[in-house]
Amino acid sequence: KKQDTIAKWKDANLRGYGSFIDASWAIDSYSLMMSGGLHYIGGYQANNCIFFGVGTGINLAQTYEWDHREPQLSPNAWNVPVYAYLRTNFINNRCSPFFALSAGYQFSTRRELLVAFDQPVKYKTSAIFVNPQLGVDFRINPKHSVYVAAGATLFQRPEIVEITPMTATFGSGLGWGIDLHLGFTF
C-alpha cells in the first residue's frame, strides 16, 4: 500500500496554477537587525519540477539612524517587495530538495534619517534585491506541501559618503543578509 501511495505521488501531474504562502526571517550584515515577513507567490507549475511566478508581501524591519556617526535604533519600517520567482525541484519525490531564486524591488516606508543635531536628511531605502535559496519540500499529498529553505540576499543599501553637523551625503552600497523561510504550497 505504501508503494502505491509513493507511486501515485510521483505520477501526479502538478501542471497548472500554483501558490505559496511564505513566512521569512532575516538578518542583514549592514545593520545586524532582524526582520520578518509574510509573502504570497503565485504562478505556473510548468511540470513537476519547474515553477515560475511573481510574489509580493510585507516585511517589518528595524533600521539605524546616525547621531555623530554612531548608529541608533530607529522606528520600525514596513517594506513591500515585488519580485519574480523561479523554483526548481531536483527530484520528483515526497521529500524533494529545491533551488529558488527571487529578484525584484523592495519599496520601503523609511524615507529619512536623523543626523547630527536631529536634522532629517532624505535618502533612498527602497532597493533592488536578489535572493537565491536552497530548501527541502515535504509533500503532504500530491498537490500540497510544506517547505523550509535558507538563503542569502544581496541588496542596495544607503551608504553615508560625507556627514557634517547639518547635512549628510549618501551613496549606494551593496549589502547582504541571510534568511530562513517556512512555507506552504497549494
Side-chain angles (χ1 to χ4, degrees):
K1 185 174 180 170
K2 184 177 179 180
Q3 303 287 355
D4 293 338
T5 302
I6 292 171
K8 179 181 171 185
W9 288 14
K10 281 187 174 184
D11 293 338
N13 183 2
L14 301 179
R15 243 180 127 160
Y17 183 78
S19 300
F20 302 100
I21 297 292
D22 185 281
S24 63
W25 297 269
I27 186 167
D28 71 66
S29 66
Y30 178 59
S31 63
L32 298 178
M33 291 305 300
M34 296 289 289
S35 65
L38 188 63
H39 297 218
Y40 173 80
I41 302 162
Y44 184 72
Q45 186 80 40
N47 58 38
N48 289 6
C49 293
I50 298 175
F51 174 90
F52 53 92
V54 294
T56 189
I58 192 157
N59 297 328
L60 177 61
Q62 280 196 308
T63 57
Y64 275 121
E65 291 181 347
W66 283 263
D67 181 19
H68 303 289
R69 289 191 182 263
E70 293 296 320
Q72 306 292 322
L73 282 178
S74 69
N76 292 335
W78 292 97
N79 301 319
V80 177
V82 177
Y83 52 92
Y85 184 83
L86 173 67
R87 178 172 159 168
T88 181
N89 288 17
F90 296 126
I91 57 175
N92 181 25
N93 214 340
R94 183 172 182 196
C95 179
S96 174
F98 68 86
F99 171 78
L101 180 65
S102 303
Y105 193 79
Q106 180 165 276
F107 299 92
S108 179
T109 60
R110 190 80 178 138
R111 297 279 186 244
E112 64 182 35
L113 64 89
L114 300 176
V115 293
F117 306 109
D118 294 330
Q119 296 295 316
V121 174
K122 301 284 186 191
Y123 74 109
K124 180 180 171 183
T125 57
S126 299
I128 295 170
F129 71 93
V130 176
N131 177 232
Q133 304 169 19
L134 286 174
V136 180
D137 190 69
F138 304 95
R139 284 196 199 167
I140 299 167
N141 61 41
K143 298 282 186 183
H144 301 90
S145 64
V146 293
Y147 64 88
V148 293
T153 303
L154 297 172
F155 57 92
Q156 279 180 300
R157 64 171 175 78
E159 186 174 85
I160 294 180
V161 175
E162 180 183 344
I163 189 167
T164 67
M166 301 303 265
T167 64
T169 305
F170 289 90
S172 183
L174 183 64
W176 63 273
I178 57 173
D179 49 85
L180 297 173
H181 299 262
L182 176 63
F184 179 69
T185 305
F186 56 99

